[in-house]
């Protein structure tokens, strides 16, 4: 293998690692947003029940 081939493989592996980390972050933010919506809905229900 030449140095150019090794460098190319290294760059590709680095790019794949970076992209997979980004995907995990996006999924994590999605879960956090969903949990926030659920908590807000639960709080609304609690207020509604308390007002009755």
């Amino acid at each position: 293998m030449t140095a150019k081939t090794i460098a190319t493989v290294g760059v590709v592996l680095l790019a794949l690692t970076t992209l997979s980390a980004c995907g995990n972050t996006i999924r994590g933010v999605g879960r956090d947003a969903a949990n926030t919506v659920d908590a807000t809905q639960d709080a609304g229900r609690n207020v509604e029940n308390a007002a009755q």
Side-chain angles (χ1 to χ4, degrees), residues 11-35:
V11 168
V12 169
L13 290 175
L14 181 63
L16 288 173
T17 302
T18 302
L19 290 174
S20 69
C22 183
N24 287 335
T25 301
I26 291 170
R27 281 190 293 277
V29 169
R31 283 189 207 113
D32 290 342
N35 288 339

